[in-house]
């Protein structure tokens, strides 16, 4: 039977999961940049932490990773589902992050939880675009 895939979608899913694992481990700088094209763009749709949403180029993505290391003492990404076609990957993710320092009325040590849909566009195995829909559980 003839295969209708060249394996690109599967490789992109593996790369998307590896990227999330690297972020969870605190990757920054060149280690994190290795997942992206130089012209990558990350769009975060409005949510409880970023009410106006955010658009980040690669420099801002890397700066955000550094800031995240200061704000969070730990974070995990549990990939619940992955769907891919060609160079597009959609992940359903359960995220938890433990605050390293207070955030508003929330004390250090508080665990944040979010349900995330993220869409990643790849080119030659690198992320060119990321779009996140982050649904945070109540911040209390």
């Amino acid at each position: 039977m003839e295969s209708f895939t060249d394996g690109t979608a599967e490789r992109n899913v593996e790369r998307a999961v590896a990227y999330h694992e690297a972020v969870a481990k605190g990757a920054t700088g060149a280690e994190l940049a290795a997942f992206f094209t130089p012209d990558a763009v990350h769009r975060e749709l409005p949510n409880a932490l970023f009410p106006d949403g955010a658009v980040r180029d690669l420099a801002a993505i890397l700066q955000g990773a550094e800031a995240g290391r200061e704000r969070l003492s730990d974070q995990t990404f549990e990939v619940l589902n992955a769907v891919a076609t060609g160079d597009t990957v959609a992940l359903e993710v359960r995220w938890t992050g433990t605050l390293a320092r207070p955030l508003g009325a929330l004390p250090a040590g508080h665990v944040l939880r979010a349900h995330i849909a993220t869409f990643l566009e790849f080119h030659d195995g690198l992320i060119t675009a990321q779009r996140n829909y982050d649904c945070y559980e109540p911040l209390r």
Side-chain angles (χ1 to χ4, degrees):
M1 179 175 199
E2 181 181 0
S3 172
F4 292 100
T5 179
D6 64 0
T8 299
E10 292 84 0
R11 285 190 300 277
N12 288 339
V13 167
E14 290 172 3
R15 191 76 173 148
V17 171
Y19 159 60
H20 280 79
E21 289 171 348
V23 171
K25 292 178 184 170
T28 58
E31 181 182 5
L32 185 60
F35 287 94
F36 294 94
T37 61
D39 62 346
V41 175
H42 176 221
R43 287 181 173 78
E44 186 170 353
L45 281 291
N47 60 62
L49 295 183
F50 295 95
D52 295 325
V55 178
R56 300 174 185 93
D57 63 7
L58 183 55
I61 291 167
L62 299 177
Q63 289 170 351
E66 290 287 347
R69 283 176 55 149
E70 294 175 14
R71 291 185 188 117
L72 299 171
S73 61
D74 182 57
Q75 66 178 326
T76 62
F77 293 89
E78 179 185 358
V79 176
L80 303 173
N81 198 1
V83 178
T85 181
D87 286 327
T88 302
V89 175
L91 298 178
E92 177 186 7
V93 178
R94 185 177 308 138
W95 174 84
T96 60
T98 304
L99 293 176
R101 61 182 193 209
L103 175 66
L106 302 175
H110 182 82
V111 178
L112 300 171
R113 291 179 176 79
H115 307 273
I116 300 170
T118 187
F119 296 82
L120 301 141
E121 299 291 331
F122 285 84
H123 179 74
D124 292 335
L126 298 175
I127 300 166
T128 63
Q130 178 176 353
R131 199 170 54 257
N132 274 54
Y133 299 84
D134 300 347
C135 300
Y136 287 88
E137 292 185 3
L139 302 175
R140 52 178 177 233

